[in-house]
Amino acid sequence: MNALLHCKPHNVFAFFEEICAIPHGSGNVTKLADWCVAFAKQRKLRYLRDDADNVILFKDAAVGYEQAKPIILQGHLDMVCATAPNTDIDLSCCGITPLIDGEWIRADGTTLGGDNGIAVAMLLAILDDDTLPHPPLEVVLTSDEEVGLLGAHALDTFPLRGRRMINLDSEEEGVFTVSCAGGVRADCTLPITREDVTGIPCKISVLGLTGGHSGVEIHKGRANAHVLISRLLYAIRQKAPLHLLSLHGGEVDNAIAIQSTAEFLVAPADLDAVNALVTEYCRLFQAEYHTTDPALRVTFESGSPTTKSAVSAVDGDRLIAVLRSAPNGVQAMSPDIPNLVQTSLNFGILRLEESRFSATFSLRSSLTSQKDMLKDTLRALFEQSNGTVTFSGDYPGWAYRSDSPLRELVLGSYRDLFGTTPTVSAIHAGLECGIFASKLEDLDCISFGPDMQDVHTPQERLHIASCERIYQLVLEILKRCKA
């Protein structure tokens, strides 16, 4: 603790460091929700907590703001848990170790959880400071945003009186988001049978990829480990029979996969050819992705002849064909907004278990019809091979609002504070604003946040000075909300 002692604002980073110490990956936010409730009790703030571990904290208006309309301030409690290769840290039970790296904060071997822990820290710091001018505050901290906006879906918004909302779940200072894509998670499975096979055990791993957020960075051309390993397995299968033993890669559906591993058996006579093919494809991949993924590498290991329970030849060929055919990446760009991805999907997780193969995708589109198109694509691919596809966490997009008094107030505050022109943007990533807008009639909302880089990866970084400016901006907005 106290690694961030000298970071400003002191109160914000003190709360952030406390948050870092509490495990709070998606599906594991109960302890952090407990901590937020304890925070409210200590300060005699009214609060609500539901069965989904969403927490709402209320604070009355400051003196002089009693007649002002309430404002909703919103962030999410959960984070994406990812660790660097060869890092032995279990984020389901261990906290994060934040470190100062020049102008940035990063974590020691893991994701930092700046998405969205810094928002939670800012909002608690506001609630903790009785000297601030502000209207009535309704601070909404949702659970499990990173795995399909599940907390926002479950939240009963009836207690909320505010119809203006600031969401602090954006990652580029000076860029104010006013619209977002909708999305859905797809879980796809194929049944498999196994049989005893004798051969040389081989293991290939695609490692060292850059990764990133599948909404924010899907258009940057970064390699997906599952796509690369599927290309390699398909190429090997064209040269020699192989019998799959295991496949493993990815941790969450909405992060670009940085690592993928396959184990299989081959005949002794084919070992040299397989080794040569792995070397050849490693060179190909490095040439293709030398700019976006400079640390990309492919490793190969082999052992002594053995007999193991492997996927049957028929099911293995079917699995590799489906894997090789699985769509990934940008599917359509917006014809209306320059450089905006309109439709995409991300191949996030793959697993080969004893009797089934599973693949999980994150689908996104600003058009419901194209999101449905992707759902049909996956159904057609997996169901024709006797597989199944289920969808969960379907969330709506957030339509641009032409008349937004809150947007004008926020942009005016930014210009006055920093003397620069802000950027108004739509985003391909999903934001909880879409769900809140579908539940709260006539909601006027906007999303912004401090500079972060490489979120959802162990290289995640949070800019210290940017946090101070964003916190100052939120305080200025609240000060101006007298109406």
Side-chain angles (χ1 to χ4, degrees):
M1 295 293 287
N2 295 327
L4 310 182
L5 181 64
H6 300 294
C7 297
K8 295 180 180 179
H10 298 303
N11 54 347
V12 171
F13 284 107
F15 282 123
F16 182 64
E17 194 159 7
E18 288 192 64
I19 291 166
C20 286
I22 303 169
H24 58 285
S26 300
N28 187 36
V29 300
T30 297
K31 289 183 179 178
L32 184 54
D34 290 342
W35 183 75
C36 292
V37 168
F39 168 94
K41 289 180 178 178
Q42 290 167 3
R43 291 155 182 82
K44 296 181 172 54
L45 298 174
R46 184 165 68 93
Y47 71 91
L48 295 172
R49 179 183 184 175
D50 63 18
D51 292 340
D53 280 329
N54 295 304
V55 178
I56 306 177
L57 308 172
F58 300 88
K59 188 169 186 178
D60 293 338
V63 174
Y65 287 75
E66 293 87 352
Q67 303 306 310
K69 296 176 182 178
I71 188 166
I72 301 168
L73 305 175
Q74 193 263 320
H76 63 84
L77 295 172
D78 65 312
M79 63 172 283
V80 169
C81 293
T83 58
N86 303 316
T87 300
D88 187 20
I89 299 175
D90 183 357
L91 291 179
S92 69
C93 58
C94 298
I96 299 153
T97 302
L99 304 171
I100 295 178
D101 184 2
E103 298 178 350
W104 301 82
I105 298 170
R106 61 176 178 84
D108 186 10
T110 70
T111 39
L112 175 65
D115 175 13
N116 196 221
I118 193 61
V120 178
M122 288 184 183
L123 299 181
L124 295 184
I126 290 169
L127 292 173
D128 191 50
D129 190 343
D130 292 332
T131 69
L132 299 176
H134 60 76
L137 301 178
E138 300 174 337
V139 172
V140 182
L141 306 175
T142 52
S143 64
D144 297 342
E145 185 269 353
E146 301 289 4
V147 288
L149 315 182
L150 302 184
H153 276 293
L155 183 71
D156 180 0
T157 58
F158 180 77
L160 299 176
R161 295 292 175 261
R163 291 300 181 267
R164 299 176 292 180
M165 187 178 92
I166 293 173
N167 167 282
L168 290 174
D169 192 17
S170 291
E171 298 149 9
E172 187 177 357
E173 183 188 345
V175 176
F176 294 82
T177 302
V178 295
S179 176
C180 72
V184 66
R185 171 184 168 123
D187 289 289
C188 311
T189 64
L190 290 177
I192 61 164
T193 57
R194 289 182 179 260
E195 58 191 10
D196 288 341
V197 178
T198 300
I200 301 292
C202 300
K203 178 180 178 180
I204 56 174
S205 296
V206 177
L207 306 165
L209 276 59
T210 303
H213 190 295
S214 68
V216 177
E217 289 153 332
I218 197 73
H219 64 292
K220 294 182 179 179
R222 296 177 180 179
N224 182 304
H226 306 334
V227 173
L228 299 191
I229 209 162
S230 71
R231 290 173 60 184
L232 184 48
L233 287 172
Y234 188 80
I236 293 172
R237 183 63 191 85
Q238 303 311 299
K239 295 285 187 180
L242 66 84
H243 298 272
L244 285 168
L245 298 172
S246 69
L247 275 170
H248 178 92
E251 299 300 329
V252 292
D253 64 293
N254 61 353
I256 300 170
I258 62 174
Q259 181 172 332
S260 199
T261 297
E263 296 181 89
F264 52 89
L265 297 172
V266 297
D270 293 324
L271 181 61
D272 289 343
V274 170
N275 194 358
L277 202 57
V278 172
T279 301
E280 176 188 350
Y281 268 73
C282 181
R283 287 197 298 264
L284 289 175
F285 295 158
Q286 289 174 339
E288 291 175 11
Y289 295 100
H290 67 278
T291 299
T292 59
D293 298 82
L296 186 159
R297 65 189 190 280
V298 183
T299 63
F300 177 76
E301 304 172 26
S302 62
S304 302
T306 187
T307 299
K308 291 181 176 290
S309 176
V311 177
S312 69
V314 172
D315 287 349
D317 288 348
R318 178 167 54 93
L319 192 162
I320 290 172
V322 169
L323 187 64
R324 181 65 187 86
S325 303
N328 179 76
V330 175
Q331 305 295 300
M333 299 296 292
S334 171
D336 302 312
I337 303 175
N339 303 316
L340 176 67
V341 178
Q342 180 168 280
T343 304
S344 77
L345 78 171
N346 178 64
F347 190 173
I349 308 170
L350 65 81
R351 298 285 188 272
L352 178 57
E353 300 166 7
E354 183 63 26
S355 60
R356 72 168 194 164
F357 166 76
S358 63
T360 302
F361 298 81
S362 175
L363 285 58
R364 304 176 193 269
S365 183
S366 54
L367 296 180
T368 300
S369 61
Q370 291 198 346
K371 184 172 68 173
D372 291 342
M373 173 192 70
L374 293 182
K375 293 165 73 173
D376 289 342
T377 298
L378 291 177
R379 283 196 193 99
L381 176 62
F382 280 85
E383 290 178 358
Q384 62 87 29
S385 295
N386 298 319
T388 62
V389 182
T390 59
F391 300 100
S392 62
D394 201 332
Y395 57 92
W398 166 30
Y400 175 76
R401 176 172 167 153
S402 58
D403 177 23
S404 170
L406 177 62
R407 182 174 68 239
E408 296 310 310
L409 187 152
V410 170
L411 299 182
S413 298
Y414 186 84
R415 283 191 295 265
D416 293 345
L417 283 174
F418 307 118
T420 58
T421 302
T423 299
V424 176
S425 175
I427 190 172
H428 185 57
L431 286 172
E432 291 166 302
C433 299
I435 295 176
F436 281 91
S438 71
K439 292 185 175 187
L440 296 171
E441 186 177 356
D442 200 33
L443 182 68
D444 189 3
C445 55
I446 193 167
S447 177
F448 58 89
D451 283 332
M452 285 182 256
Q453 294 182 353
D454 297 320
V455 296
H456 297 185
T457 79
Q459 291 76 45
E460 180 184 356
R461 300 194 302 167
L462 173 66
H463 196 265
I464 298 169
S466 181
C467 291
E468 184 173 17
R469 290 189 291 270
I470 291 299
Y471 186 63
Q472 183 182 0
L473 174 61
V474 176
L475 299 187
E476 180 63 24
I477 294 166
L478 295 179
K479 182 179 177 181
R480 297 186 182 195
C481 284
K482 270 202 168 184

